[in-house]
Amino acid sequence: MRKISVIVPVYKVEKYISECIESILRQSYSNIELLLVDDGSPDNSGIICDNYATIDKRVRVIHQSNQGVSRARNAALRIAKSEWVTFVDSDDTINTDYIENLVRANPTFDRRTLAVSGATRIDRNTQICKWKEEFDNRKISLMSLSKKDYQMLDSILLFGTILGKLYNLEIIRSKSIQFNECLSLNEDQLFFFKYLKYINEIVSNDNVGYNYYFDGNSSLSTSRYPYSKRINAYKELHQAYEAFLSRFQLQPTVLKKTSSMVCSVYLDAIKSCYVMHENKSVCLNVLKHLNKKEIYDWYSPSSKQGKVFKTIIFFPNFIIHVMLKLIIS
């Protein structure tokens, strides 16, 4: 039984952290180490973590000044004493057989295989399931993809969170894959896309054992970010995505949902210029660097606003600027 590290960044979650920790310690797959990273929590979260470390030797706690979720996860990756690692957010829980099912998907522990499973998003206040992301039992060879694999692969890539996956720590360390500590959004997807470049196959199972809670005030949720941060996130994500496509000689058009999601990160940056009422020169400068053909080829919007944007994409920038001011402002 291989040891698996479970990494949990902790910040201002004293109401939820005990439930999270107990769901991990109750796993049917018991050979784990639980790495709790107290990211300078001003409440009792760190004390609660320390208490669990005194009653279960599988628990280790790191205390650091508040430096963000990416630095917290990187700190745990540096000290993990296992071959494999999975991530859990501190206000979520996992079902008892969650890790066991990930292991069953990759029973030989092939380090070039990524095991994935789905998740359920639950409104914490009402306990109502908002959505459920689930996959079939499937093995997808990235070295010899068939047309029937594209749709499933697209769904897995679109669900680009780091959650619901079992990563090989040797690959992470040898390839220097880290969470980008300069980003405060899309860092999950970036880590995931960078990792994909070094695997040969993805195995999915129909288990949905991750419970992702949301109440509008999640400790790890994002808020409104300025266009500059969104653009930086887009550039990093786009580069990692293109590296993955190149590695497996894939065209972005065969992964329509994922390609559209990558484009939407840039379009969110443009939108934020208008939401935050940036001046005309700033807005036009952002539009100036827009790859219009790529947006036209990759972007498949479902919203009315997105469809309007795609319709006007080849207009001169000053016309796009005027129309976006009318649509968004």
Side-chain angles (χ1 to χ4, degrees), residues 40 204 221 306:
S204 60
S221 64

Side-chain angles (χ1 to χ4, degrees), residues 181-222:
E181 297 175 2
C182 296
L183 295 181
S184 49
L185 71 166
N186 297 106
E187 68 277 1
D188 276 24
Q189 292 167 318
L190 180 58
F191 182 94
F192 176 53
F193 282 178
K194 284 183 176 181
Y195 186 87
L196 287 172
K197 184 179 176 181
Y198 302 104
I199 63 172
N200 293 333
E201 66 179 17
I202 297 174
V203 288
S204 60
N205 63 56
D206 58 7
N207 174 258
V208 184
Y210 192 100
N211 304 303
Y212 170 53
Y213 287 95
F214 177 76
D215 61 8
N217 295 300
S218 173
S219 63
L220 298 178
S221 64
T222 59

Side-chain angles (χ1 to χ4, degrees), residues 102 105-106 110-117 135-145 149-150 152-159 164-167 192-193 195-205 244 248 250 255:
L102 282 173
N106 185 18
D110 183 342
R111 72 187 188 96
R112 292 288 185 175
T113 296
L114 175 67
V116 305
S117 63
F135 308 111
D136 298 332
N137 293 311
R138 179 85 68 86
K139 179 183 290 187
I140 300 174
S141 174
L142 296 173
M143 308 302 293
S144 56
L145 282 164
D149 293 326
Y150 291 150
M152 175 64 77
L153 178 59
D154 202 10
S155 295
I156 291 172
L157 297 187
L158 185 65
F159 186 58
K165 300 169 181 70
L166 191 59
Y167 299 91
F192 176 53
F193 282 178
Y195 186 87
L196 287 172
K197 184 179 176 181
Y198 302 104
I199 63 172
N200 293 333
E201 66 179 17
I202 297 174
V203 288
S204 60
N205 63 56
F244 164 72
F248 297 105
L250 292 170
L255 301 172

Side-chain angles (χ1 to χ4, degrees), residues 156-277:
I156 291 172
L157 297 187
L158 185 65
F159 186 58
T161 172
I162 56 166
L163 310 175
K165 300 169 181 70
L166 191 59
Y167 299 91
N168 181 266
L169 197 54
E170 182 184 346
I171 289 178
I172 291 173
R173 287 173 173 169
S174 65
K175 303 302 181 182
S176 300
I177 303 172
Q178 292 187 323
F179 291 90
N180 189 321
E181 297 175 2
C182 296
L183 295 181
S184 49
L185 71 166
N186 297 106
E187 68 277 1
D188 276 24
Q189 292 167 318
L190 180 58
F191 182 94
F192 176 53
F193 282 178
K194 284 183 176 181
Y195 186 87
L196 287 172
K197 184 179 176 181
Y198 302 104
I199 63 172
N200 293 333
E201 66 179 17
I202 297 174
V203 288
S204 60
N205 63 56
D206 58 7
N207 174 258
V208 184
Y210 192 100
N211 304 303
Y212 170 53
Y213 287 95
F214 177 76
D215 61 8
N217 295 300
S218 173
S219 63
L220 298 178
S221 64
T222 59
S223 56
R224 183 182 292 181
Y225 290 95
Y227 75 94
S228 56
K229 289 188 176 182
R230 292 187 181 277
I231 288 176
N232 289 339
Y234 165 75
K235 289 178 179 178
E236 294 280 348
L237 194 64
H238 189 280
Q239 183 179 15
Y241 183 53
E242 283 201 318
F244 164 72
L245 294 174
S246 176
R247 162 80 161 81
F248 297 105
Q249 299 181 333
L250 292 170
Q251 294 299 316
T253 51
V254 304
L255 301 172
K256 293 182 179 179
K257 294 178 181 178
T258 308
S259 299
S260 183
M261 178 274 294
V262 172
C263 284
S264 71
V265 176
Y266 194 98
L267 299 183
D268 283 344
I270 295 174
K271 181 178 178 180
S272 69
C273 286
Y274 295 88
V275 170
M276 295 185 174
H277 304 290

Side-chain angles (χ1 to χ4, degrees), residues 267 296 299-313 327:
L267 299 183
Y296 187 82
Y299 188 46
S300 303
S302 56
S303 69
K304 182 178 179 180
Q305 191 177 90
K307 290 177 180 178
V308 170
F309 187 89
K310 186 168 182 177
T311 301
I312 65 174
I313 193 66
I327 297 168

